[in-house]
Amino acid sequence: MNIVAQVFAGVAAALHVLVFAWEALLFRRPAVHWGVFRIRSEDVPAVLLWSFGQGFYNLFLAAGTVIGLIAVNTGQTEAGRALVYYTCGFMILSSLVLLVSDRMALGREKGAGLGGVAAQALPPIGALLAVAIAG
């Protein structure tokens, strides 16, 4: 796996760790639940369970990517590549779900979630494209 693909995959993992922190650890803070996710303070108790679980889902995706990158660089190339490809593919598919939910205006106005879609989709797309272009 080339270095460009590894950097994009690493960025994707780092973003998922950041989102884990927002969703699972810091969600009760207004700067996070309102500033990042546009969830009103009075609605936080109703969505906290989902936010907490979603945060760990993001952490596990990041962990899979990091473990794959470590494997690629420590002689377990095939297993590492498979893990990175799978987690990047998973991230891309999840971004499509975010896009659909944005288009359906689920939870907020249409268009408000496009930044999250781009943040989730572009780094893993970059990783897989770098692999494909390098052949």
Side-chain angles (χ1 to χ4, degrees):
M1 179 177 291
N2 65 62
I3 190 67
V4 174
Q6 291 183 55
V7 168
F8 274 112
V11 168
L15 286 170
H16 279 75
V17 170
L18 174 62
V19 175
F20 155 74
W22 285 341
E23 291 175 336
L25 306 176
L26 304 172
F27 194 76
R28 286 186 174 101
R29 295 181 182 187
V32 175
H33 67 256
W34 178 252
V36 177
F37 298 105
R38 294 292 183 241
I39 303 295
R40 297 175 308 178
S41 294
E42 57 269 21
D43 294 331
V44 168
V47 299
L48 196 56
L49 175 64
W50 294 321
S51 174
F52 188 75
Q54 187 68 27
F56 276 90
Y57 145 89
N58 283 301
L59 179 64
F60 300 149
L61 266 178
T65 306
V66 169
I67 291 167
L69 290 171
I70 291 169
V72 162
N73 288 287
T74 58
Q76 300 296 319
T77 309
E78 295 301 316
R81 270 192 283 199
L83 197 48
V84 171
Y85 296 167
Y86 175 77
T87 57
C88 284
F90 196 112
M91 291 172 191
I92 293 165
L93 291 173
S94 295
S95 73
L96 294 176
V97 172
L98 280 178
L99 179 61
V100 168
S101 68
D102 179 77
R103 299 290 82 203
M104 294 173 66
L106 298 178
R108 52 187 165 175
E109 66 276 1
K110 194 180 283 189
L114 294 178
V117 171
Q120 184 164 24
L122 294 178
I125 288 171
L128 297 183
L129 281 176
V131 168
I133 291 169

